[in-house]
Amino acid sequence: VFCTPCELDETAHSQYDATNLALFGEVDFALTERVELTAGLRFERRTADYAESFGNRFEPTDRMLGGELALAWNFAEPWTTYLRLARGYKAGGFNVSFAGVDFDQVDNVTPAQIEFDPESLESLEAGIKGVWLDGRIRGEIGVFAARRDDQQVKIPLQLTLGDPSSFLFLTENAERGRHRGAEASVEYRAAESLTVSASLGLLDTEIEEFSLYPALEGRAQAHAPRSSFGLAAEYRPAGGWWGRVDVMGRSDFYFDYSHDQKS
């Protein structure tokens, strides 16, 4: 099919600026000879400015608070146990792929969706680790659980059915998500120049609430295999040359939120 002229795209201009100002600190307390407490806090203020040639403009200000409270207890040689409560965050932003979209011609998006909000995460971790044979063997096992509020999820979208040139990705906020799991690792220095190690991970995730895309509620998060493992051997002689071999594996997982099949 030939057409003259044949124009598929419309030129768009956008400008995006952001300024981050952060204040943070951390302090360690030796409560006893065997118990140590760590406390940290971080506050961040982020201002952004987005404008485009089609008249959309946003000037949000995000105020985000994060930190941690951790307790380490060396209750008996060679064992140390730990408990950590933490809050993290991820700044919001803009779907710049919307620049040039005529919102009067599409029904599945609005100009307000150009902007997405910050995400926060509260996590609780606990574990135990030890060192044996004068440091030749090191092992650790831990469990964790986390909740994500306003979770940022990248969604594939086709603005016009049958028009592949209108396909794009946008980031949206799911109201709530969670993940939990366990990890274990061991490292053994078999010789002065040879170290072998192994690790195992178990993970369970879920998008718990997503009002804009309710079909995704109850589904596992993308790129989150339920199990994974790793084996490694490293040879590092005194001469400077060294070599390492790694074998890694993981169970199937959702590659993206547009796929119903696991890969």
Side-chain angles (χ1 to χ4, degrees):
V1 178
F2 298 91
C3 57
T4 306
C6 191
E7 185 174 334
L8 298 177
D9 300 303
E10 186 173 359
T11 302
H13 301 279
S14 63
Q15 181 175 339
Y16 171 52
D17 296 298
T19 302
N20 294 63
L21 179 64
L23 179 66
F24 57 91
E26 183 177 282
V27 61
D28 295 325
F29 299 95
L31 301 182
T32 70
E33 290 184 356
R34 292 181 174 270
V35 181
E36 183 176 275
L37 179 68
T38 299
L41 194 66
R42 178 186 177 95
F43 173 78
E44 185 169 340
R45 181 178 182 271
R46 181 177 182 272
T47 58
D49 185 3
Y50 172 86
E52 62 175 35
S53 55
F54 290 83
N56 295 301
R57 181 160 191 168
F58 299 89
E59 298 177 286
T61 297
D62 298 328
R63 294 174 177 84
M64 298 165 288
L65 184 66
E68 70 165 351
L69 191 64
L71 188 69
W73 178 26
N74 181 217
F75 64 94
E77 294 296 340
W79 302 98
T80 299
T81 187
Y82 62 89
L83 180 67
R84 180 175 183 263
L85 177 65
R87 173 184 169 87
Y89 56 81
K90 184 179 181 180
F94 303 94
N95 290 299
V96 295
S97 57
F98 274 4
V101 172
D102 186 351
F103 292 96
D104 294 330
Q105 302 298 319
V106 294
D107 299 323
N108 50 355
V109 292
T110 67
Q113 290 177 269
I114 293 177
E115 182 184 355
F116 56 89
D117 296 328
E119 171 186 343
S120 64
L121 180 146
E122 292 84 31
S123 65
L124 180 65
E125 306 171 40
I128 187 170
K129 53 187 176 181
V131 180
W132 303 270
L133 299 180
D134 297 325
R136 293 180 61 190
I137 299 179
R138 299 176 180 269
E140 180 175 355
I141 184 169
V143 294
F144 60 87
R147 167 174 165 158
R148 302 172 68 177
D149 292 310
D150 295 320
Q151 177 184 346
Q152 295 175 9
V153 180
K154 184 169 284 190
I155 301 294
L157 181 68
Q158 188 160 313
L159 298 176
T160 305
L161 189 63
D163 180 8
S165 66
S166 68
F167 182 86
L168 49 79
F169 287 91
L170 74 154
T171 299
E172 291 283 7
N173 293 103
E175 286 84 353
R176 189 171 65 254
R178 58 102 178 142
H179 61 259
R180 58 195 177 193
E183 297 176 325
S185 64
V186 61
E187 182 182 277
Y188 173 49
R189 194 173 75 246
E192 191 65 30
S193 303
L194 179 62
T195 302
V196 294
S197 60
S199 62
L200 175 66
L202 302 175
L203 181 63
D204 178 40
T205 67
E206 182 183 354
I207 299 176
E208 295 185 317
E209 185 179 353
F210 199 176
S211 58
L212 283 175
Y213 296 90
L216 293 177
E217 293 181 352
R219 210 185 80 160
Q221 299 175 21
H223 293 277
R226 291 186 66 87
S227 61
S228 60
F229 74 89
L231 300 171
E234 181 176 301
Y235 181 67
R236 191 182 290 269
W241 291 92
W242 63 279
R244 181 181 175 93
V245 176
D246 287 271
V247 177
M248 293 179 289
R250 56 192 176 186
S251 62
D252 55 0
F253 57 90
Y254 290 111
F255 182 76
D256 212 330
Y257 292 103
S258 61
H259 296 80
D260 292 327
Q261 300 290 331
K262 291 186 176 181
S263 59

